[in-house]
Amino acid sequence: MSSPSTSLLKEQTVLPADEVQLFNAVEDKYGGVMVYMEEPMDLNEGFSYHHAESDYLMLVYWIPDAPDTLPANASHIVGIGAFVMNDKREVLVVKEKNGFFKGKDVWKFPTGVVNQGEDICVAAIREVKEETGIDTEFMEILAFRQTHQQFLGKSDLFFVCMLRPLSFDIKKQDSEIAAAQWMPIDEYVNQTFNRKHKSFEYIAGICLTKSERNYGGFSAVPTPTSSGKLPYLYFSGKDFKPW
Amino acid sequence: MSSPSTSLLKEQTVLPADEVQLFNAVEDKYGGVMVYMEEPMDLNEGFSYHHAESDYLMLVYWIPDAPDTLPANASHIVGIGAFVMNDKREVLVVKEKNGFFKGKDVWKFPTGVVNQGEDICVAAIREVKEETGIDTEFMEILAFRQTHQQFLGKSDLFFVCMLRPLSFDIKKQDSEIAAAQWMPIDEYVNQTFNRKHKSFEYIAGICLTKSERNYGGFSAVPTPTSSGKLPYLYFSGKDFKPW
C-alpha cells in the first residue's frame, strides 16, 4: 500500500507549472529567509530540524558552501534549590510526592525549574512560595552544578540560592509536596542521604559554612544595557562594589 | 484547489477497517509511550510539538485530566568569556570578524558557546585554544550574567571564566577572528566601549579587581555521583574545602 506521504509527493510532482506554489517567506535580519509552512513536510529536500516549541517547528537548510554557523539549539535546562534559614537556625525543607525522591525518607530544599525568560533569583522566590507558602528575599547564589545527559540528552545547570524568610507559617502545596517543615540545620546536614551522596554532602556543607561564618556567594545585580534591558549580573558583591 | 494536507486526511478517513495501521510505539520509563512517526503529520489530533533536534521532532499529547507535568524544553543557551592574563599584566584579546562586534573597534575577551554535554570549564579552554592558539588552565568563574529573549526567545547564561595561560605565542583563527594580541589590562578596561556599557564595565572591573587583590570566584570541583557521573560543582573554594 502506498503511504500517505508518498501520495503527497506524487501529487506535488504532477502539478501543472501554472499551479506550482511558492512558499510564503520573509527575510530575516541575518540575511536568510524564514519559510512559514502551512503543510506538513518530510525532510527529503535537504532541510533538517532546528528546534520546536509547543506550537511550531523550525526547519533549517544551510545554503552556503562554508560551514554552518547557525545558532545552536538551546542546550540547558536551568533549576534552583532554595536554602532558607530562620533566626533559630532552622532550614525550610520538604518531602516530594513524585520524581527521584518519591518514597525516599529525605527532607530536601524546595527545588524547581527556571522558566524560559525568568530570572534565577525570581524563580527561587517563586518556587519557595509555591511549595511552602513562605515569602522570601533573594540573598546570594552559593554554588551551582552542571550535569549532562539529563532529559533527552540536554544538560542541566542547578543553582543553590540562599534566601531570607519574610514569613514563617508554612502552607504546603498539595499536588507535589508530601510534607514541609522548619528543621534544625544540623539535622538537615546529617541526614544519611546527604552523607552518602557527594554533591548533596558538599552543598549541605556549603550552606552550613555560610550559616556559621564567612562564605563568599554571588549577589544578583541588575545591570542596564543599551537596549533598555536589565539583566542580572551575579558576582561577589562583597569583593566588587561598582557604585 | 484542495491542499495536499487535506488530501492526506481524506485518504486516511476512507481506509477500510482492516487496513487501519497502529503507530509503532514503545513504552518509556515515565509510564508514557513514545510513538516513532515515519510519516509527516499535522497537529489536528491533539498533539503539540515538544522540541526538535536536527534529525528528529518530538510531539507530545498529555492524556490525563491532571495538569501537564512534562519536562520543559531546554530554555537556555550557555556561553563563556575567557579572562586570560600573563605575568606582565597583559590580557588576551581578539577582534571579531562577524556578529555584534563586526566593524566595531573593540578588543574583547575570547568568547563562545558551550556545547550540549560540554563542561563550562572545558569549553573556556577550548574556545581560547580555537580562537588564539593559546593553551590555558581553568582557574575560576568570576561572574555570570543571565539575559532573556536572545535567539528565538531563548534565555542565555554567560560565564566569565579566569584562565591561566600555559603558552604565549598567538596563532589566531582566520575564519572568525580579525586580530588577536596581548594587551595591558588597564588599556583593555579603559576602552570607550567598556566604559559606555554597564555590564562590560562591571565585568572589566571584576577582572581588574581579581588581578589586583582578593576577589572570591567559584572553583570547579568534580563531584562523584552514585550513577558514576562526575559533574562539576562550582563554589567558593577559598571558603569551603570539602577534603
Side-chain angles (χ1 to χ4, degrees):
Chain A
M1 150 196 163
S2 79
S3 74
S5 82
T6 311
S7 309
L8 179 62
L9 287 172
K10 278 184 188 154
E11 181 171 296
Q12 289 180 320
T13 308
V14 298
L15 275 179
D18 59 357
E19 284 191 37
V20 168
Q21 293 186 305
L22 286 179
F23 293 129
N24 288 319
V26 292
E27 291 187 23
D28 68 19
K29 63 178 176 177
Y30 304 100
V33 292
M34 313 224 356
V35 179
Y36 292 95
M37 306 288 298
E38 301 294 335
E39 316 295 345
M41 70 173 287
D42 62 26
L43 292 175
N44 288 337
E45 308 299 327
F47 282 84
S48 60
Y49 299 125
H50 185 276
H51 76 289
E53 295 299 326
S54 62
D55 55 352
Y56 75 94
L57 163 66
M58 185 176 178
L59 301 155
V60 291
Y61 180 51
W62 183 254
I63 299 171
D65 273 339
D68 165 8
T69 60
L70 289 165
N73 194 352
S75 54
H76 284 66
I77 295 158
V78 178
I80 60 89
F83 168 49
V84 184
M85 191 172 79
N86 65 22
D87 288 345
K88 293 181 271 185
R89 293 181 55 76
E90 294 168 332
V91 292
L92 183 62
V93 290
V94 300
K95 281 189 181 176
E96 289 185 354
K97 283 188 176 174
N98 306 305
F100 177 78
F101 286 97
K102 181 180 179 177
K104 292 190 173 72
D105 187 29
V106 180
W107 290 100
K108 58 182 284 293
F109 291 161
T111 55
V113 173
V114 177
N115 296 323
Q116 189 167 304
E118 186 179 37
D119 286 309
I120 293 164
C121 53
V122 171
I125 292 169
R126 174 183 55 74
E127 285 288 350
V128 171
K129 180 71 176 177
E130 283 178 11
E131 294 194 356
T132 69
I134 300 293
D135 295 306
T136 55
E137 175 188 6
F138 180 86
M139 304 299 283
E140 282 185 354
I141 304 275
L142 300 186
F144 63 89
R145 188 187 59 195
Q146 188 190 23
T147 46
H148 304 301
Q149 291 293 330
Q150 296 298 105
F151 180 62
L152 294 163
K154 295 294 177 180
S155 300
D156 180 280
L157 274 165
F158 177 80
F159 291 87
V160 180
C161 302
M162 186 178 69
L163 300 103
R164 192 170 70 87
L166 301 175
S167 71
F168 302 92
D169 290 339
I170 293 172
K171 285 181 190 147
K172 82 170 183 69
Q173 185 203 52
D174 283 332
S175 64
E176 295 175 29
I177 304 299
Q181 67 164 339
W182 293 100
M183 173 186 253
I185 188 166
D186 293 324
E187 200 176 316
Y188 167 78
V189 169
N190 288 319
Q191 290 179 101
T192 309
F193 182 88
N194 284 350
R195 298 166 65 98
K196 272 191 178 169
H197 295 81
K198 277 278 174 263
S199 75
F200 285 85
E201 183 188 334
Y202 288 6
I203 289 170
I206 287 165
C207 293
L208 187 63
T209 303
K210 182 74 191 180
S211 78
E212 289 173 339
R213 55 183 188 274
N214 201 28
Y215 176 91
F218 283 0
S219 312
V221 177
T223 308
T225 67
S226 52
S227 64
K229 292 180 184 172
L230 209 64
Y232 279 96
L233 186 66
Y234 296 81
F235 59 86
S236 175
K238 174 171 64 72
D239 297 332
F240 177 69
K241 299 188 188 302
W243 41 83
Chain B
M1 142 195 167
S2 79
S3 74
S5 83
T6 309
S7 310
L8 179 61
L9 285 173
K10 279 183 189 156
E11 181 172 294
Q12 289 179 322
T13 308
V14 299
L15 274 179
D18 60 355
E19 284 191 35
V20 168
Q21 294 186 306
L22 286 179
F23 293 130
N24 289 318
V26 292
E27 291 186 24
D28 69 17
K29 62 178 177 178
Y30 303 100
V33 292
M34 307 203 30
V35 179
Y36 293 96
M37 305 289 297
E38 302 293 333
E39 315 297 343
M41 68 173 290
D42 62 28
L43 291 176
N44 288 337
E45 308 300 327
F47 282 83
S48 59
Y49 299 126
H50 185 276
H51 77 289
E53 295 298 327
S54 62
D55 55 353
Y56 76 94
L57 163 66
M58 185 176 179
L59 300 156
V60 291
Y61 180 51
W62 183 253
I63 297 170
D65 272 341
D68 164 7
T69 60
L70 289 165
N73 193 351
S75 54
H76 283 67
I77 295 158
V78 178
I80 59 89
F83 168 48
V84 184
M85 190 172 81
N86 65 21
D87 289 345
K88 292 181 273 186
R89 293 181 54 76
E90 294 168 331
V91 293
L92 183 61
V93 291
V94 300
K95 280 189 182 177
E96 289 184 354
K97 282 188 177 175
N98 307 305
F100 177 77
F101 286 98
K102 181 180 178 177
K104 291 190 172 71
D105 188 29
V106 181
W107 290 99
K108 58 182 284 294
F109 291 161
T111 55
V113 173
V114 177
N115 296 322
Q116 189 167 305
E118 186 179 37
D119 287 309
I120 293 164
C121 54
V122 171
I125 293 169
R126 175 183 55 75
E127 284 287 352
V128 171
K129 180 71 176 178
E130 283 178 11
E131 293 194 356
T132 68
I134 299 295
D135 296 305
T136 55
E137 176 188 6
F138 179 87
M139 304 300 282
E140 283 184 353
I141 304 276
L142 299 186
F144 63 90
R145 188 187 59 195
Q146 187 190 24
T147 46
H148 303 302
Q149 291 292 330
Q150 296 297 105
F151 180 63
L152 295 163
K154 295 294 177 181
S155 300
D156 179 281
L157 275 164
F158 177 79
F159 291 87
V160 180
C161 302
M162 185 180 68
L163 300 103
R164 192 169 69 87
L166 302 175
S167 72
F168 302 92
D169 290 339
I170 293 170
K171 285 180 190 148
K172 84 171 182 67
Q173 185 202 51
D174 283 333
S175 64
E176 294 175 28
I177 305 299
Q181 67 164 338
W182 293 100
M183 173 187 252
I185 188 167
D186 294 323
E187 201 176 316
Y188 167 78
V189 169
N190 288 319
Q191 290 179 101
T192 310
F193 182 88
N194 285 349
R195 299 166 66 98
K196 272 192 180 169
H197 295 82
K198 275 279 175 262
S199 75
F200 285 85
E201 182 187 334
Y202 286 7
I203 289 170
I206 288 165
C207 294
L208 187 63
T209 304
K210 181 74 190 180
S211 78
E212 289 173 340
R213 55 183 188 273
N214 202 28
Y215 176 91
F218 282 0
S219 311
V221 178
T223 308
T225 67
S226 52
S227 64
K229 292 180 185 174
L230 208 63
Y232 279 96
L233 187 66
Y234 296 81
F235 58 86
S236 174
K238 172 171 65 72
D239 297 332
F240 177 69
K241 298 186 188 304
W243 41 85

mmCIF file of all heavy atoms in Angstrom, chain B residues 93-99 101-110 130-132 170-181:
data_model
loop_
_atom_site.group_PDB
_atom_site.id
_atom_site.type_symbol
_atom_site.label_atom_id
_atom_site.label_comp_id
_atom_site.label_asym_id
_atom_site.label_seq_id
_atom_site.Cartn_x
_atom_site.Cartn_y
_atom_site.Cartn_z
ATOM 1 N N VAL B 93 43.259 39.310 24.060
ATOM 2 C CA VAL B 93 42.066 39.919 23.473
ATOM 3 C C VAL B 93 42.010 39.678 21.968
ATOM 4 O O VAL B 93 43.040 39.452 21.328
ATOM 5 C CB VAL B 93 42.001 41.438 23.749
ATOM 6 C CG1 VAL B 93 41.745 41.710 25.225
ATOM 7 C CG2 VAL B 93 43.294 42.127 23.286
ATOM 8 N N VAL B 94 40.794 39.740 21.421
ATOM 9 C CA VAL B 94 40.589 39.500 19.991
ATOM 10 C C VAL B 94 39.660 40.568 19.410
ATOM 11 O O VAL B 94 38.927 41.246 20.134
ATOM 12 C CB VAL B 94 39.967 38.095 19.733
ATOM 13 C CG1 VAL B 94 40.860 36.989 20.270
ATOM 14 C CG2 VAL B 94 38.562 37.992 20.333
ATOM 15 N N LYS B 95 39.719 40.712 18.089
ATOM 16 C CA LYS B 95 38.688 41.454 17.351
ATOM 17 C C LYS B 95 37.959 40.458 16.471
ATOM 18 O O LYS B 95 38.590 39.658 15.779
ATOM 19 C CB LYS B 95 39.315 42.552 16.490
ATOM 20 C CG LYS B 95 39.678 43.793 17.267
ATOM 21 C CD LYS B 95 40.085 44.923 16.337
ATOM 22 C CE LYS B 95 40.487 46.152 17.154
ATOM 23 N NZ LYS B 95 40.955 47.254 16.287
ATOM 24 N N GLU B 96 36.631 40.510 16.495
ATOM 25 C CA GLU B 96 35.835 39.529 15.755
ATOM 26 C C GLU B 96 35.478 40.016 14.365
ATOM 27 O O GLU B 96 35.234 41.199 14.148
ATOM 28 C CB GLU B 96 34.550 39.203 16.531
ATOM 29 C CG GLU B 96 34.837 38.389 17.773
ATOM 30 C CD GLU B 96 33.573 37.963 18.499
ATOM 31 O OE1 GLU B 96 32.478 38.400 18.103
ATOM 32 O OE2 GLU B 96 33.704 37.200 19.473
ATOM 33 N N LYS B 97 35.414 39.075 13.408
ATOM 34 C CA LYS B 97 35.073 39.407 12.020
ATOM 35 C C LYS B 97 33.566 39.564 11.823
ATOM 36 O O LYS B 97 33.122 40.258 10.926
ATOM 37 C CB LYS B 97 35.578 38.303 11.081
ATOM 38 C CG LYS B 97 37.075 38.366 10.804
ATOM 39 C CD LYS B 97 37.453 37.364 9.715
ATOM 40 C CE LYS B 97 38.933 37.478 9.378
ATOM 41 N NZ LYS B 97 39.371 36.447 8.420
ATOM 42 N N ASN B 98 32.770 38.832 12.622
ATOM 43 C CA ASN B 98 31.323 38.766 12.393
ATOM 44 C C ASN B 98 30.562 39.130 13.671
ATOM 45 O O ASN B 98 31.151 39.339 14.715
ATOM 46 C CB ASN B 98 30.923 37.355 11.954
ATOM 47 C CG ASN B 98 31.745 36.888 10.775
ATOM 48 O OD1 ASN B 98 31.801 37.559 9.760
ATOM 49 N ND2 ASN B 98 32.407 35.747 10.932
ATOM 50 N N GLY B 99 29.256 39.170 13.541
ATOM 51 C CA GLY B 99 28.394 39.331 14.697
ATOM 52 C C GLY B 99 28.353 40.748 15.217
ATOM 53 O O GLY B 99 28.690 41.713 14.507
ATOM 54 N N PHE B 101 30.125 42.537 17.151
ATOM 55 C CA PHE B 101 31.323 43.367 17.240
ATOM 56 C C PHE B 101 31.970 43.662 15.881
ATOM 57 O O PHE B 101 32.993 44.331 15.811
ATOM 58 C CB PHE B 101 32.356 42.693 18.154
ATOM 59 C CG PHE B 101 31.973 42.795 19.601
ATOM 60 C CD1 PHE B 101 31.342 41.736 20.248
ATOM 61 C CD2 PHE B 101 32.237 43.949 20.324
ATOM 62 C CE1 PHE B 101 30.985 41.833 21.577
ATOM 63 C CE2 PHE B 101 31.882 44.056 21.657
ATOM 64 C CZ PHE B 101 31.248 42.992 22.286
ATOM 65 N N LYS B 102 31.358 43.150 14.788
ATOM 66 C CA LYS B 102 31.910 43.366 13.449
ATOM 67 C C LYS B 102 32.044 44.859 13.154
ATOM 68 O O LYS B 102 31.074 45.607 13.301
ATOM 69 C CB LYS B 102 30.989 42.706 12.409
ATOM 70 C CG LYS B 102 31.472 42.843 10.975
ATOM 71 C CD LYS B 102 30.495 42.165 10.022
ATOM 72 C CE LYS B 102 30.958 42.338 8.573
ATOM 73 N NZ LYS B 102 30.049 41.629 7.644
ATOM 74 N N GLY B 103 33.235 45.279 12.759
ATOM 75 C CA GLY B 103 33.446 46.672 12.381
ATOM 76 C C GLY B 103 33.599 47.624 13.554
ATOM 77 O O GLY B 103 33.950 48.783 13.366
ATOM 78 N N LYS B 104 33.290 47.129 14.780
ATOM 79 C CA LYS B 104 33.500 47.993 15.948
ATOM 80 C C LYS B 104 34.974 47.889 16.355
ATOM 81 O O LYS B 104 35.572 46.825 16.298
ATOM 82 C CB LYS B 104 32.612 47.521 17.115
ATOM 83 C CG LYS B 104 31.122 47.732 16.897
ATOM 84 C CD LYS B 104 30.354 47.469 18.192
ATOM 85 C CE LYS B 104 28.891 47.859 18.056
ATOM 86 N NZ LYS B 104 28.129 46.939 17.187
ATOM 87 N N ASP B 105 35.536 48.982 16.781
ATOM 88 C CA ASP B 105 36.957 48.991 17.143
ATOM 89 C C ASP B 105 37.106 48.566 18.610
ATOM 90 O O ASP B 105 37.542 49.343 19.448
ATOM 91 C CB ASP B 105 37.536 50.390 16.907
ATOM 92 C CG ASP B 105 39.045 50.394 17.089
ATOM 93 O OD1 ASP B 105 39.674 49.348 16.849
ATOM 94 O OD2 ASP B 105 39.573 51.450 17.490
ATOM 95 N N VAL B 106 36.703 47.314 18.898
ATOM 96 C CA VAL B 106 36.701 46.832 20.282
ATOM 97 C C VAL B 106 37.556 45.576 20.415
ATOM 98 O O VAL B 106 37.377 44.601 19.685
ATOM 99 C CB VAL B 106 35.255 46.488 20.750
ATOM 100 C CG1 VAL B 106 35.270 46.003 22.201
ATOM 101 C CG2 VAL B 106 34.348 47.695 20.599
ATOM 102 N N TRP B 107 38.502 45.625 21.349
ATOM 103 C CA TRP B 107 39.248 44.420 21.733
ATOM 104 C C TRP B 107 38.467 43.740 22.851
ATOM 105 O O TRP B 107 38.123 44.361 23.844
ATOM 106 C CB TRP B 107 40.653 44.796 22.224
ATOM 107 C CG TRP B 107 41.550 45.285 21.132
ATOM 108 C CD1 TRP B 107 41.838 46.574 20.829
ATOM 109 C CD2 TRP B 107 42.255 44.475 20.185
ATOM 110 N NE1 TRP B 107 42.697 46.645 19.752
ATOM 111 C CE2 TRP B 107 42.965 45.357 19.336
ATOM 112 C CE3 TRP B 107 42.359 43.099 19.954
ATOM 113 C CZ2 TRP B 107 43.777 44.910 18.291
ATOM 114 C CZ3 TRP B 107 43.168 42.647 18.913
ATOM 115 C CH2 TRP B 107 43.859 43.544 18.094
ATOM 116 N N LYS B 108 38.156 42.463 22.660
ATOM 117 C CA LYS B 108 37.318 41.756 23.625
ATOM 118 C C LYS B 108 37.928 40.417 24.021
ATOM 119 O O LYS B 108 38.838 39.917 23.355
ATOM 120 C CB LYS B 108 35.914 41.543 23.047
ATOM 121 C CG LYS B 108 35.915 40.764 21.730
ATOM 122 C CD LYS B 108 34.526 40.610 21.145
ATOM 123 C CE LYS B 108 33.720 39.557 21.874
ATOM 124 N NZ LYS B 108 34.234 38.179 21.721
ATOM 125 N N PHE B 109 37.426 39.846 25.115
ATOM 126 C CA PHE B 109 37.854 38.514 25.516
ATOM 127 C C PHE B 109 37.416 37.489 24.467
ATOM 128 O O PHE B 109 36.371 37.673 23.837
ATOM 129 C CB PHE B 109 37.203 38.110 26.854
ATOM 130 C CG PHE B 109 37.668 38.871 28.049
ATOM 131 C CD1 PHE B 109 36.893 38.886 29.214
ATOM 132 C CD2 PHE B 109 38.870 39.559 28.071
ATOM 133 C CE1 PHE B 109 37.306 39.559 30.341
ATOM 134 C CE2 PHE B 109 39.297 40.248 29.196
ATOM 135 C CZ PHE B 109 38.507 40.249 30.337
ATOM 136 N N PRO B 110 38.173 36.404 24.299
ATOM 137 C CA PRO B 110 37.637 35.284 23.512
ATOM 138 C C PRO B 110 36.322 34.812 24.150
ATOM 139 O O PRO B 110 36.217 34.724 25.380
ATOM 140 C CB PRO B 110 38.723 34.203 23.644
ATOM 141 C CG PRO B 110 39.990 34.956 23.965
ATOM 142 C CD PRO B 110 39.532 36.126 24.797
ATOM 143 N N GLU B 130 40.963 27.558 20.271
ATOM 144 C CA GLU B 130 40.483 27.685 18.892
ATOM 145 C C GLU B 130 40.707 29.084 18.337
ATOM 146 O O GLU B 130 41.129 29.245 17.197
ATOM 147 C CB GLU B 130 38.974 27.377 18.822
ATOM 148 C CG GLU B 130 38.629 25.898 18.872
ATOM 149 C CD GLU B 130 37.117 25.632 18.850
ATOM 150 O OE1 GLU B 130 36.331 26.577 18.590
ATOM 151 O OE2 GLU B 130 36.748 24.486 19.100
ATOM 152 N N GLU B 131 40.420 30.105 19.147
ATOM 153 C CA GLU B 131 40.473 31.478 18.619
ATOM 154 C C GLU B 131 41.879 32.050 18.586
ATOM 155 O O GLU B 131 42.195 32.874 17.743
ATOM 156 C CB GLU B 131 39.549 32.400 19.440
ATOM 157 C CG GLU B 131 38.074 32.046 19.276
ATOM 158 C CD GLU B 131 37.130 33.130 19.797
ATOM 159 O OE1 GLU B 131 37.608 34.133 20.367
ATOM 160 O OE2 GLU B 131 35.909 32.950 19.632
ATOM 161 N N THR B 132 42.732 31.621 19.536
ATOM 162 C CA THR B 132 44.049 32.272 19.671
ATOM 163 C C THR B 132 45.232 31.298 19.657
ATOM 164 O O THR B 132 46.379 31.738 19.604
ATOM 165 C CB THR B 132 44.127 33.055 21.003
ATOM 166 O OG1 THR B 132 44.131 32.112 22.090
ATOM 167 C CG2 THR B 132 42.949 34.011 21.160
ATOM 168 N N ILE B 170 50.658 33.617 20.005
ATOM 169 C CA ILE B 170 49.304 33.626 19.447
ATOM 170 C C ILE B 170 49.300 33.108 18.006
ATOM 171 O O ILE B 170 50.122 33.530 17.189
ATOM 172 C CB ILE B 170 48.721 35.063 19.506
ATOM 173 C CG1 ILE B 170 48.503 35.472 20.969
ATOM 174 C CG2 ILE B 170 47.428 35.162 18.706
ATOM 175 C CD1 ILE B 170 48.153 36.924 21.172
ATOM 176 N N LYS B 171 48.395 32.177 17.727
ATOM 177 C CA LYS B 171 48.109 31.770 16.339
ATOM 178 C C LYS B 171 46.610 31.924 16.151
ATOM 179 O O LYS B 171 45.847 31.035 16.503
ATOM 180 C CB LYS B 171 48.517 30.315 16.103
ATOM 181 C CG LYS B 171 50.006 30.126 15.972
ATOM 182 C CD LYS B 171 50.346 28.662 15.729
ATOM 183 C CE LYS B 171 51.846 28.458 15.844
ATOM 184 N NZ LYS B 171 52.194 27.137 16.358
ATOM 185 N N LYS B 172 46.199 33.054 15.582
ATOM 186 C CA LYS B 172 44.763 33.338 15.544
ATOM 187 C C LYS B 172 44.040 32.485 14.502
ATOM 188 O O LYS B 172 44.608 32.092 13.494
ATOM 189 C CB LYS B 172 44.517 34.821 15.300
ATOM 190 C CG LYS B 172 44.551 35.238 13.850
ATOM 191 C CD LYS B 172 44.075 36.670 13.678
ATOM 192 C CE LYS B 172 44.067 37.055 12.207
ATOM 193 N NZ LYS B 172 43.061 36.326 11.410
ATOM 194 N N GLN B 173 42.768 32.219 14.789
ATOM 195 C CA GLN B 173 41.891 31.533 13.838
ATOM 196 C C GLN B 173 41.490 32.535 12.764
ATOM 197 O O GLN B 173 41.155 33.681 13.076
ATOM 198 C CB GLN B 173 40.660 31.026 14.600
ATOM 199 C CG GLN B 173 39.715 30.178 13.775
ATOM 200 C CD GLN B 173 38.328 30.168 14.375
ATOM 201 O OE1 GLN B 173 37.758 31.220 14.663
ATOM 202 N NE2 GLN B 173 37.787 28.977 14.568
ATOM 203 N N ASP B 174 41.491 32.107 11.505
ATOM 204 C CA ASP B 174 41.235 33.059 10.425
ATOM 205 C C ASP B 174 39.761 33.326 10.154
ATOM 206 O O ASP B 174 39.383 34.439 9.810
ATOM 207 C CB ASP B 174 41.911 32.587 9.135
ATOM 208 C CG ASP B 174 43.404 32.856 9.176
ATOM 209 O OD1 ASP B 174 43.815 33.806 9.890
ATOM 210 O OD2 ASP B 174 44.151 32.118 8.524
ATOM 211 N N SER B 175 38.910 32.296 10.303
ATOM 212 C CA SER B 175 37.529 32.452 9.826
ATOM 213 C C SER B 175 36.712 33.418 10.685
ATOM 214 O O SER B 175 35.855 34.124 10.174
ATOM 215 C CB SER B 175 36.837 31.090 9.759
ATOM 216 O OG SER B 175 36.720 30.521 11.038
ATOM 217 N N GLU B 176 36.951 33.471 11.989
ATOM 218 C CA GLU B 176 36.114 34.299 12.865
ATOM 219 C C GLU B 176 36.850 35.489 13.485
ATOM 220 O O GLU B 176 36.226 36.427 13.951
ATOM 221 C CB GLU B 176 35.551 33.448 14.020
ATOM 222 C CG GLU B 176 34.576 32.360 13.579
ATOM 223 C CD GLU B 176 34.137 31.480 14.741
ATOM 224 O OE1 GLU B 176 34.124 31.968 15.893
ATOM 225 O OE2 GLU B 176 33.825 30.300 14.498
ATOM 226 N N ILE B 177 38.179 35.407 13.539
ATOM 227 C CA ILE B 177 38.969 36.379 14.310
ATOM 228 C C ILE B 177 39.769 37.279 13.377
ATOM 229 O O ILE B 177 40.580 36.804 12.572
ATOM 230 C CB ILE B 177 39.918 35.635 15.279
ATOM 231 C CG1 ILE B 177 39.128 34.679 16.182
ATOM 232 C CG2 ILE B 177 40.745 36.619 16.106
ATOM 233 C CD1 ILE B 177 38.091 35.360 17.058
ATOM 234 N N ALA B 178 39.525 38.599 13.473
ATOM 235 C CA ALA B 178 40.241 39.560 12.628
ATOM 236 C C ALA B 178 41.640 39.832 13.170
ATOM 237 O O ALA B 178 42.590 40.034 12.413
ATOM 238 C CB ALA B 178 39.448 40.865 12.542
ATOM 239 N N ALA B 179 41.793 39.848 14.505
ATOM 240 C CA ALA B 179 43.084 40.130 15.118
ATOM 241 C C ALA B 179 43.084 39.619 16.551
ATOM 242 O O ALA B 179 42.028 39.491 17.175
ATOM 243 C CB ALA B 179 43.354 41.638 15.108
ATOM 244 N N ALA B 180 44.279 39.309 17.065
ATOM 245 C CA ALA B 180 44.416 38.859 18.453
ATOM 246 C C ALA B 180 45.745 39.376 18.987
ATOM 247 O O ALA B 180 46.725 39.485 18.243
ATOM 248 C CB ALA B 180 44.358 37.328 18.535
ATOM 249 N N GLN B 181 45.765 39.727 20.271
ATOM 250 C CA GLN B 181 47.009 40.230 20.859
ATOM 251 C C GLN B 181 46.950 40.149 22.385
ATOM 252 O O GLN B 181 45.899 39.903 22.977
ATOM 253 C CB GLN B 181 47.235 41.694 20.449
ATOM 254 C CG GLN B 181 46.206 42.658 21.032
ATOM 255 C CD GLN B 181 46.621 44.130 20.964
ATOM 256 O OE1 GLN B 181 47.799 44.439 20.861
ATOM 257 N NE2 GLN B 181 45.661 45.028 21.053
#
